[in-house]
Amino acid sequence: MTQKKIITVLGATGAQGGGLVRAILEDKTGTFAARAVTRDVNSEKSRELAKLGAEVVAADVDDPAGLERAFKGAYGAYCVTFFWAHFSVEKEQAEARSMAAAAKKAGLQHVIWSTLEDTRKWVPLSDDRMPTLNGKYKVPHFDGKGEADAYFTEAGVPTTFLLTCFFWDNFIHFGMGPKAGPDGKLAITFPMDDKKLPGIAAEDIGRCASGIFKEGAKWIGKTVGIAGDHLTGAQMAAAFTKALGRDVRYNAVPPSVYRSFGFPGAEDLGNMFQFKRDFEDYFCGARSLDTSRALNPRLQTFDAWLAKNKGSIPLE
Ligand SMILES: NC(=O)c1ccc[n+]([C@@H]2O[C@H](COP(=O)([O-])OP(=O)(O)OC[C@H]3O[C@@H](n4cnc5c(N)ncnc54)[C@H](OP(=O)(O)O)[C@@H]3O)[C@@H](O)[C@H]2O)c1
């Protein structure tokens, strides 16, 4: 029996990494094996991955030695950071730097870095269409990742830069689902006017990543963007209305209003949506549906994702 090539997956118990671990394990005749990294090998999610056939190992992305152990002997790795766990660009970048260094040390042959644009290339700090945050960012959770692309290149790691997009799972877990207004009518709220928002089922990110690892060399040194659909707020509201059998409206607000909502990260997200709105052609163009479907033939549309997940969306 030929030895399978190990892919070390960071964030394996979470949205992106979980999708990749499952995609690797489901591909019984494939050439890859999944090494799932978690801080707690005894958690329910970790045990579930072990039961499915993953090698589950303990490491914290804040511990460079732990990362080195997790990467040792592997062929490749899926590298992702967890901005919303701490809201710190500096921490996220220190983690990305450790990942690149550990990948180089382990001699990995293919790393996928889950990144996003450095929006300051489109909206320099001097552009006052949106506020500068923390003194040096426009969209902190984007800019920090985009800046960290260079860590992988400079370390000489064979890397694919994977541009993700809005997870529809945010409608379940991130408080973005339809909410009842004063009139009792359900609405989704985005500061996108009539522009299209690329979105994806989080599990499909992992499946696309699996496709990238399978195609290998073709993607090294390349940036690839993925999405399951490009939809306006009105189109998403119509899809909700159809799936839920209840009227759901699209409440378009200005980005400044979204930034003032007051929840943690509201300013970052307000700027992010404004970037996606103001640079719609670039942002959608960088996330081809055809490329995403070629990498992952099971790619879900928003309608298909809603049909499967509508029961899990909290309706307030
Ligand atoms: N939500 C969106 O729409 C969206 C869109 C594009 C990009 N993103 C980006 O996606 C990233 C998060 O990815 P995700 O949603 O896949 O993550 P996630 O589901 O929130 O979490 C992934 C897993 O990471 C592990 N983890 C957290 N901190 C860790 C640490 N210090 N060391 C090791 N493991 C740690 C946790 O596992 P254990 O508890 O088992 O250790 C967790 O289950 C963020 O940086 C965000 O900016 C989000």
mmCIF file of all heavy atoms in Angstrom, residues 226-269:
data_model
loop_
_atom_site.group_PDB
_atom_site.id
_atom_site.type_symbol
_atom_site.label_atom_id
_atom_site.label_comp_id
_atom_site.label_asym_id
_atom_site.label_seq_id
_atom_site.Cartn_x
_atom_site.Cartn_y
_atom_site.Cartn_z
ATOM 1 N N ILE A 226 -12.517 32.219 -4.323
ATOM 2 C CA ILE A 226 -13.623 31.268 -4.456
ATOM 3 C C ILE A 226 -14.931 31.871 -3.921
ATOM 4 O O ILE A 226 -14.920 32.714 -3.013
ATOM 5 C CB ILE A 226 -13.320 29.935 -3.726
ATOM 6 C CG1 ILE A 226 -12.895 30.185 -2.265
ATOM 7 C CG2 ILE A 226 -12.254 29.138 -4.465
ATOM 8 C CD1 ILE A 226 -12.783 28.927 -1.437
ATOM 9 N N ALA A 227 -16.037 31.411 -4.475
ATOM 10 C CA ALA A 227 -17.373 31.791 -4.002
ATOM 11 C C ALA A 227 -18.370 30.780 -4.552
ATOM 12 O O ALA A 227 -18.099 30.113 -5.555
ATOM 13 C CB ALA A 227 -17.743 33.192 -4.494
ATOM 14 N N GLY A 228 -19.520 30.684 -3.872
ATOM 15 C CA GLY A 228 -20.580 29.773 -4.323
ATOM 16 C C GLY A 228 -21.651 30.511 -5.110
ATOM 17 O O GLY A 228 -22.410 29.909 -5.875
ATOM 18 N N ASP A 229 -21.774 31.814 -4.900
ATOM 19 C CA ASP A 229 -22.750 32.666 -5.582
ATOM 20 C C ASP A 229 -22.311 34.113 -5.401
ATOM 21 O O ASP A 229 -21.632 34.419 -4.415
ATOM 22 C CB ASP A 229 -24.141 32.525 -4.924
ATOM 23 C CG ASP A 229 -25.147 31.783 -5.794
ATOM 24 O OD1 ASP A 229 -25.040 31.873 -7.026
ATOM 25 O OD2 ASP A 229 -26.044 31.126 -5.223
ATOM 26 N N HIS A 230 -22.700 34.974 -6.330
ATOM 27 C CA HIS A 230 -22.526 36.419 -6.172
ATOM 28 C C HIS A 230 -23.940 36.995 -6.152
ATOM 29 O O HIS A 230 -24.595 37.011 -7.195
ATOM 30 C CB HIS A 230 -21.780 37.031 -7.363
ATOM 31 C CG HIS A 230 -20.387 36.497 -7.593
ATOM 32 N ND1 HIS A 230 -19.750 36.590 -8.812
ATOM 33 C CD2 HIS A 230 -19.512 35.897 -6.761
ATOM 34 C CE1 HIS A 230 -18.531 36.065 -8.730
ATOM 35 N NE2 HIS A 230 -18.368 35.617 -7.482
ATOM 36 N N LEU A 231 -24.422 37.446 -5.004
ATOM 37 C CA LEU A 231 -25.827 37.855 -4.907
ATOM 38 C C LEU A 231 -25.993 39.229 -4.276
ATOM 39 O O LEU A 231 -25.268 39.583 -3.339
ATOM 40 C CB LEU A 231 -26.613 36.837 -4.064
ATOM 41 C CG LEU A 231 -26.672 35.404 -4.586
ATOM 42 C CD1 LEU A 231 -27.336 34.493 -3.560
ATOM 43 C CD2 LEU A 231 -27.425 35.346 -5.913
ATOM 44 N N THR A 232 -26.970 39.984 -4.762
ATOM 45 C CA THR A 232 -27.307 41.258 -4.118
ATOM 46 C C THR A 232 -28.106 40.959 -2.840
ATOM 47 O O THR A 232 -28.628 39.840 -2.659
ATOM 48 C CB THR A 232 -28.196 42.124 -5.031
ATOM 49 O OG1 THR A 232 -29.425 41.414 -5.249
ATOM 50 C CG2 THR A 232 -27.517 42.412 -6.363
ATOM 51 N N GLY A 233 -28.231 41.964 -1.988
ATOM 52 C CA GLY A 233 -29.047 41.819 -0.773
ATOM 53 C C GLY A 233 -30.472 41.431 -1.125
ATOM 54 O O GLY A 233 -31.079 40.574 -0.477
ATOM 55 N N ALA A 234 -30.998 42.054 -2.183
ATOM 56 C CA ALA A 234 -32.384 41.759 -2.594
ATOM 57 C C ALA A 234 -32.504 40.301 -3.043
ATOM 58 O O ALA A 234 -33.493 39.620 -2.734
ATOM 59 C CB ALA A 234 -32.804 42.707 -3.713
ATOM 60 N N GLN A 235 -31.483 39.814 -3.754
ATOM 61 C CA GLN A 235 -31.529 38.406 -4.208
ATOM 62 C C GLN A 235 -31.433 37.445 -3.017
ATOM 63 O O GLN A 235 -32.104 36.421 -2.982
ATOM 64 C CB GLN A 235 -30.388 38.140 -5.202
ATOM 65 C CG GLN A 235 -30.620 38.790 -6.553
ATOM 66 C CD GLN A 235 -29.406 38.698 -7.469
ATOM 67 O OE1 GLN A 235 -28.261 38.794 -7.029
ATOM 68 N NE2 GLN A 235 -29.651 38.520 -8.752
ATOM 69 N N MET A 236 -30.602 37.803 -2.027
ATOM 70 C CA MET A 236 -30.514 36.932 -0.836
ATOM 71 C C MET A 236 -31.836 36.947 -0.075
ATOM 72 O O MET A 236 -32.305 35.913 0.406
ATOM 73 C CB MET A 236 -29.351 37.376 0.063
ATOM 74 C CG MET A 236 -27.995 36.989 -0.490
ATOM 75 S SD MET A 236 -26.663 37.237 0.702
ATOM 76 C CE MET A 236 -26.371 38.970 0.511
ATOM 77 N N ALA A 237 -32.442 38.139 0.037
ATOM 78 C CA ALA A 237 -33.728 38.240 0.751
ATOM 79 C C ALA A 237 -34.792 37.404 0.025
ATOM 80 O O ALA A 237 -35.592 36.713 0.674
ATOM 81 C CB ALA A 237 -34.152 39.706 0.837
ATOM 82 N N ALA A 238 -34.782 37.446 -1.305
ATOM 83 C CA ALA A 238 -35.763 36.659 -2.079
ATOM 84 C C ALA A 238 -35.539 35.164 -1.850
ATOM 85 O O ALA A 238 -36.504 34.392 -1.724
ATOM 86 C CB ALA A 238 -35.647 37.004 -3.563
ATOM 87 N N ALA A 239 -34.268 34.769 -1.763
ATOM 88 C CA ALA A 239 -33.961 33.347 -1.526
ATOM 89 C C ALA A 239 -34.442 32.940 -0.128
ATOM 90 O O ALA A 239 -34.992 31.849 0.061
ATOM 91 C CB ALA A 239 -32.462 33.105 -1.669
ATOM 92 N N PHE A 240 -34.236 33.816 0.855
ATOM 93 C CA PHE A 240 -34.741 33.539 2.214
ATOM 94 C C PHE A 240 -36.264 33.407 2.200
ATOM 95 O O PHE A 240 -36.826 32.499 2.821
ATOM 96 C CB PHE A 240 -34.369 34.683 3.167
ATOM 97 C CG PHE A 240 -33.059 34.498 3.871
ATOM 98 C CD1 PHE A 240 -31.999 35.358 3.650
ATOM 99 C CD2 PHE A 240 -32.874 33.466 4.795
ATOM 100 C CE1 PHE A 240 -30.785 35.196 4.300
ATOM 101 C CE2 PHE A 240 -31.666 33.296 5.457
ATOM 102 C CZ PHE A 240 -30.617 34.172 5.210
ATOM 103 N N THR A 241 -36.924 34.328 1.507
ATOM 104 C CA THR A 241 -38.391 34.323 1.460
ATOM 105 C C THR A 241 -38.889 32.982 0.914
ATOM 106 O O THR A 241 -39.798 32.360 1.469
ATOM 107 C CB THR A 241 -38.895 35.495 0.567
ATOM 108 O OG1 THR A 241 -38.439 36.714 1.149
ATOM 109 C CG2 THR A 241 -40.405 35.504 0.461
ATOM 110 N N LYS A 242 -38.243 32.536 -0.157
ATOM 111 C CA LYS A 242 -38.641 31.270 -0.791
ATOM 112 C C LYS A 242 -38.370 30.086 0.147
ATOM 113 O O LYS A 242 -39.209 29.231 0.363
ATOM 114 C CB LYS A 242 -37.852 31.102 -2.098
ATOM 115 C CG LYS A 242 -38.484 30.136 -3.070
ATOM 116 C CD LYS A 242 -37.807 30.220 -4.430
ATOM 117 C CE LYS A 242 -36.783 29.100 -4.502
ATOM 118 N NZ LYS A 242 -35.864 29.158 -5.594
ATOM 119 N N ALA A 243 -37.175 30.090 0.767
ATOM 120 C CA ALA A 243 -36.781 28.938 1.594
ATOM 121 C C ALA A 243 -37.583 28.869 2.891
ATOM 122 O O ALA A 243 -37.973 27.787 3.335
ATOM 123 C CB ALA A 243 -35.289 29.017 1.910
ATOM 124 N N LEU A 244 -37.831 30.037 3.510
ATOM 125 C CA LEU A 244 -38.488 30.039 4.830
ATOM 126 C C LEU A 244 -40.009 30.075 4.711
ATOM 127 O O LEU A 244 -40.717 29.822 5.692
ATOM 128 C CB LEU A 244 -38.033 31.258 5.651
ATOM 129 C CG LEU A 244 -36.532 31.347 5.968
ATOM 130 C CD1 LEU A 244 -36.217 32.674 6.667
ATOM 131 C CD2 LEU A 244 -36.081 30.177 6.834
ATOM 132 N N GLY A 245 -40.493 30.464 3.531
ATOM 133 C CA GLY A 245 -41.952 30.599 3.381
ATOM 134 C C GLY A 245 -42.463 31.783 4.188
ATOM 135 O O GLY A 245 -43.633 31.823 4.583
ATOM 136 N N ARG A 246 -41.581 32.739 4.467
ATOM 137 C CA ARG A 246 -41.956 33.964 5.192
ATOM 138 C C ARG A 246 -41.276 35.127 4.506
ATOM 139 O O ARG A 246 -40.155 34.999 4.038
ATOM 140 C CB ARG A 246 -41.414 33.919 6.633
ATOM 141 C CG ARG A 246 -42.235 33.101 7.570
ATOM 142 C CD ARG A 246 -41.581 33.097 8.932
ATOM 143 N NE ARG A 246 -41.695 34.383 9.629
ATOM 144 C CZ ARG A 246 -41.222 34.604 10.840
ATOM 145 N NH1 ARG A 246 -40.597 33.650 11.497
ATOM 146 N NH2 ARG A 246 -41.367 35.773 11.422
ATOM 147 N N ASP A 247 -41.963 36.247 4.474
ATOM 148 C CA ASP A 247 -41.408 37.399 3.788
ATOM 149 C C ASP A 247 -40.130 37.892 4.481
ATOM 150 O O ASP A 247 -40.126 38.123 5.685
ATOM 151 C CB ASP A 247 -42.475 38.508 3.817
ATOM 152 C CG ASP A 247 -42.350 39.406 2.618
ATOM 153 O OD1 ASP A 247 -41.807 38.944 1.596
ATOM 154 O OD2 ASP A 247 -42.782 40.574 2.712
ATOM 155 N N VAL A 248 -39.043 37.996 3.732
ATOM 156 C CA VAL A 248 -37.801 38.565 4.259
ATOM 157 C C VAL A 248 -37.398 39.715 3.328
ATOM 158 O O VAL A 248 -37.329 39.543 2.119
ATOM 159 C CB VAL A 248 -36.670 37.509 4.329
ATOM 160 C CG1 VAL A 248 -35.364 38.141 4.797
ATOM 161 C CG2 VAL A 248 -37.054 36.351 5.251
ATOM 162 N N ARG A 249 -37.181 40.890 3.927
ATOM 163 C CA ARG A 249 -36.805 42.068 3.143
ATOM 164 C C ARG A 249 -35.294 42.283 3.202
ATOM 165 O O ARG A 249 -34.623 41.773 4.103
ATOM 166 C CB ARG A 249 -37.467 43.327 3.725
ATOM 167 C CG ARG A 249 -38.954 43.425 3.483
ATOM 168 C CD ARG A 249 -39.513 44.703 4.113
ATOM 169 N NE ARG A 249 -39.175 44.797 5.547
ATOM 170 C CZ ARG A 249 -38.431 45.772 6.080
ATOM 171 N NH1 ARG A 249 -37.907 46.726 5.339
ATOM 172 N NH2 ARG A 249 -38.199 45.794 7.386
ATOM 173 N N TYR A 250 -34.801 43.085 2.273
ATOM 174 C CA TYR A 250 -33.401 43.530 2.329
ATOM 175 C C TYR A 250 -33.398 44.964 2.831
ATOM 176 O O TYR A 250 -33.995 45.848 2.214
ATOM 177 C CB TYR A 250 -32.764 43.444 0.941
ATOM 178 C CG TYR A 250 -31.426 44.133 0.828
ATOM 179 C CD1 TYR A 250 -30.451 43.984 1.821
ATOM 180 C CD2 TYR A 250 -31.119 44.948 -0.265
ATOM 181 C CE1 TYR A 250 -29.219 44.627 1.708
ATOM 182 C CE2 TYR A 250 -29.893 45.584 -0.381
ATOM 183 C CZ TYR A 250 -28.953 45.421 0.615
ATOM 184 O OH TYR A 250 -27.737 46.061 0.506
ATOM 185 N N ASN A 251 -32.732 45.175 3.948
ATOM 186 C CA ASN A 251 -32.617 46.501 4.543
ATOM 187 C C ASN A 251 -31.233 47.051 4.201
ATOM 188 O O ASN A 251 -30.248 46.685 4.841
ATOM 189 C CB ASN A 251 -32.815 46.328 6.062
ATOM 190 C CG ASN A 251 -32.688 47.614 6.831
ATOM 191 O OD1 ASN A 251 -32.989 48.685 6.300
ATOM 192 N ND2 ASN A 251 -32.239 47.519 8.066
ATOM 193 N N ALA A 252 -31.175 47.885 3.170
ATOM 194 C CA ALA A 252 -29.877 48.459 2.758
ATOM 195 C C ALA A 252 -29.612 49.702 3.601
ATOM 196 O O ALA A 252 -30.428 50.624 3.621
ATOM 197 C CB ALA A 252 -29.932 48.824 1.281
ATOM 198 N N VAL A 253 -28.500 49.691 4.320
ATOM 199 C CA VAL A 253 -28.142 50.859 5.147
ATOM 200 C C VAL A 253 -26.810 51.419 4.631
ATOM 201 O O VAL A 253 -26.016 50.685 4.038
ATOM 202 C CB VAL A 253 -28.009 50.490 6.649
ATOM 203 C CG1 VAL A 253 -29.341 50.045 7.224
ATOM 204 C CG2 VAL A 253 -26.935 49.417 6.859
ATOM 205 N N PRO A 254 -26.546 52.697 4.890
ATOM 206 C CA PRO A 254 -25.231 53.226 4.505
ATOM 207 C C PRO A 254 -24.142 52.585 5.373
ATOM 208 O O PRO A 254 -24.404 52.238 6.533
ATOM 209 C CB PRO A 254 -25.334 54.727 4.817
ATOM 210 C CG PRO A 254 -26.787 55.002 5.010
ATOM 211 C CD PRO A 254 -27.426 53.729 5.465
ATOM 212 N N PRO A 255 -22.919 52.452 4.830
ATOM 213 C CA PRO A 255 -21.833 51.873 5.630
ATOM 214 C C PRO A 255 -21.623 52.608 6.962
ATOM 215 O O PRO A 255 -21.321 51.982 7.980
ATOM 216 C CB PRO A 255 -20.605 52.025 4.723
ATOM 217 C CG PRO A 255 -21.166 52.028 3.339
ATOM 218 C CD PRO A 255 -22.496 52.713 3.434
ATOM 219 N N SER A 256 -21.818 53.927 6.969
ATOM 220 C CA SER A 256 -21.612 54.684 8.217
ATOM 221 C C SER A 256 -22.597 54.224 9.293
ATOM 222 O O SER A 256 -22.256 54.172 10.481
ATOM 223 C CB SER A 256 -21.757 56.185 7.970
ATOM 224 O OG SER A 256 -23.028 56.439 7.415
ATOM 225 N N VAL A 257 -23.810 53.886 8.879
ATOM 226 C CA VAL A 257 -24.807 53.395 9.841
ATOM 227 C C VAL A 257 -24.392 52.010 10.341
ATOM 228 O O VAL A 257 -24.431 51.725 11.539
ATOM 229 C CB VAL A 257 -26.225 53.359 9.197
ATOM 230 C CG1 VAL A 257 -27.210 52.599 10.075
ATOM 231 C CG2 VAL A 257 -26.704 54.771 8.923
ATOM 232 N N TYR A 258 -23.937 51.168 9.426
ATOM 233 C CA TYR A 258 -23.491 49.814 9.829
ATOM 234 C C TYR A 258 -22.332 49.914 10.827
ATOM 235 O O TYR A 258 -22.305 49.213 11.838
ATOM 236 C CB TYR A 258 -23.067 49.021 8.589
ATOM 237 C CG TYR A 258 -23.052 47.519 8.818
ATOM 238 C CD1 TYR A 258 -24.154 46.739 8.493
ATOM 239 C CD2 TYR A 258 -21.952 46.899 9.394
ATOM 240 C CE1 TYR A 258 -24.158 45.376 8.705
ATOM 241 C CE2 TYR A 258 -21.949 45.529 9.615
ATOM 242 C CZ TYR A 258 -23.052 44.776 9.269
ATOM 243 O OH TYR A 258 -23.048 43.426 9.500
ATOM 244 N N ARG A 259 -21.385 50.833 10.538
ATOM 245 C CA ARG A 259 -20.229 51.000 11.454
ATOM 246 C C ARG A 259 -20.666 51.420 12.840
ATOM 247 O O ARG A 259 -19.973 51.150 13.816
ATOM 248 C CB ARG A 259 -19.280 52.076 10.883
ATOM 249 C CG ARG A 259 -18.418 51.614 9.744
ATOM 250 C CD ARG A 259 -17.336 52.626 9.416
ATOM 251 N NE ARG A 259 -17.786 53.745 8.625
ATOM 252 C CZ ARG A 259 -17.845 53.767 7.286
ATOM 253 N NH1 ARG A 259 -17.438 52.721 6.591
ATOM 254 N NH2 ARG A 259 -18.275 54.829 6.640
ATOM 255 N N SER A 260 -21.827 52.091 12.942
ATOM 256 C CA SER A 260 -22.262 52.626 14.243
ATOM 257 C C SER A 260 -23.096 51.620 15.036
ATOM 258 O O SER A 260 -23.574 51.942 16.113
ATOM 259 C CB SER A 260 -23.083 53.904 14.027
ATOM 260 O OG SER A 260 -24.357 53.556 13.500
ATOM 261 N N PHE A 261 -23.275 50.400 14.523
ATOM 262 C CA PHE A 261 -24.148 49.436 15.213
ATOM 263 C C PHE A 261 -23.633 49.064 16.603
ATOM 264 O O PHE A 261 -24.372 48.580 17.446
ATOM 265 C CB PHE A 261 -24.355 48.173 14.365
ATOM 266 C CG PHE A 261 -25.374 48.345 13.257
ATOM 267 C CD1 PHE A 261 -25.407 47.473 12.178
ATOM 268 C CD2 PHE A 261 -26.309 49.372 13.302
ATOM 269 C CE1 PHE A 261 -26.350 47.618 11.161
ATOM 270 C CE2 PHE A 261 -27.254 49.533 12.292
ATOM 271 C CZ PHE A 261 -27.272 48.650 11.219
ATOM 272 N N GLY A 262 -22.329 49.199 16.834
ATOM 273 C CA GLY A 262 -21.831 49.057 18.214
ATOM 274 C C GLY A 262 -21.413 47.667 18.635
ATOM 275 O O GLY A 262 -20.794 47.502 19.689
ATOM 276 N N PHE A 263 -21.703 46.634 17.824
ATOM 277 C CA PHE A 263 -21.238 45.298 18.242
ATOM 278 C C PHE A 263 -19.736 45.207 17.981
ATOM 279 O O PHE A 263 -19.194 45.950 17.154
ATOM 280 C CB PHE A 263 -22.029 44.190 17.520
ATOM 281 C CG PHE A 263 -21.898 44.172 16.029
ATOM 282 C CD1 PHE A 263 -20.811 43.572 15.404
ATOM 283 C CD2 PHE A 263 -22.875 44.762 15.221
ATOM 284 C CE1 PHE A 263 -20.688 43.560 14.023
ATOM 285 C CE2 PHE A 263 -22.756 44.766 13.829
ATOM 286 C CZ PHE A 263 -21.657 44.156 13.237
ATOM 287 N N PRO A 264 -19.018 44.308 18.672
ATOM 288 C CA PRO A 264 -17.578 44.233 18.469
ATOM 289 C C PRO A 264 -17.261 43.938 17.002
ATOM 290 O O PRO A 264 -17.817 43.008 16.426
ATOM 291 C CB PRO A 264 -17.140 43.054 19.364
ATOM 292 C CG PRO A 264 -18.268 42.864 20.327
ATOM 293 C CD PRO A 264 -19.524 43.324 19.646
ATOM 294 N N GLY A 265 -16.406 44.759 16.398
ATOM 295 C CA GLY A 265 -16.044 44.535 14.997
ATOM 296 C C GLY A 265 -16.953 45.249 14.006
ATOM 297 O O GLY A 265 -16.768 45.112 12.793
ATOM 298 N N ALA A 266 -17.943 46.033 14.478
ATOM 299 C CA ALA A 266 -18.902 46.674 13.555
ATOM 300 C C ALA A 266 -18.196 47.640 12.592
ATOM 301 O O ALA A 266 -18.545 47.712 11.407
ATOM 302 C CB ALA A 266 -19.983 47.415 14.331
ATOM 303 N N GLU A 267 -17.188 48.365 13.081
ATOM 304 C CA GLU A 267 -16.495 49.324 12.195
ATOM 305 C C GLU A 267 -15.692 48.578 11.126
ATOM 306 O O GLU A 267 -15.687 48.946 9.955
ATOM 307 C CB GLU A 267 -15.540 50.186 13.016
ATOM 308 C CG GLU A 267 -16.250 51.199 13.878
ATOM 309 C CD GLU A 267 -15.236 52.091 14.570
ATOM 310 O OE1 GLU A 267 -14.438 51.553 15.367
ATOM 311 O OE2 GLU A 267 -15.238 53.293 14.294
ATOM 312 N N ASP A 268 -14.999 47.519 11.559
ATOM 313 C CA ASP A 268 -14.217 46.685 10.640
ATOM 314 C C ASP A 268 -15.148 46.128 9.546
ATOM 315 O O ASP A 268 -14.873 46.243 8.343
ATOM 316 C CB ASP A 268 -13.579 45.558 11.482
ATOM 317 C CG ASP A 268 -12.582 44.693 10.723
ATOM 318 O OD1 ASP A 268 -12.731 44.547 9.510
ATOM 319 O OD2 ASP A 268 -11.676 44.129 11.363
ATOM 320 N N LEU A 269 -16.296 45.582 9.968
ATOM 321 C CA LEU A 269 -17.216 44.972 8.997
ATOM 322 C C LEU A 269 -17.894 46.031 8.119
ATOM 323 O O LEU A 269 -18.127 45.802 6.935
ATOM 324 C CB LEU A 269 -18.260 44.108 9.710
ATOM 325 C CG LEU A 269 -17.698 42.833 10.354
ATOM 326 C CD1 LEU A 269 -18.806 42.073 11.088
ATOM 327 C CD2 LEU A 269 -17.054 41.909 9.323
#
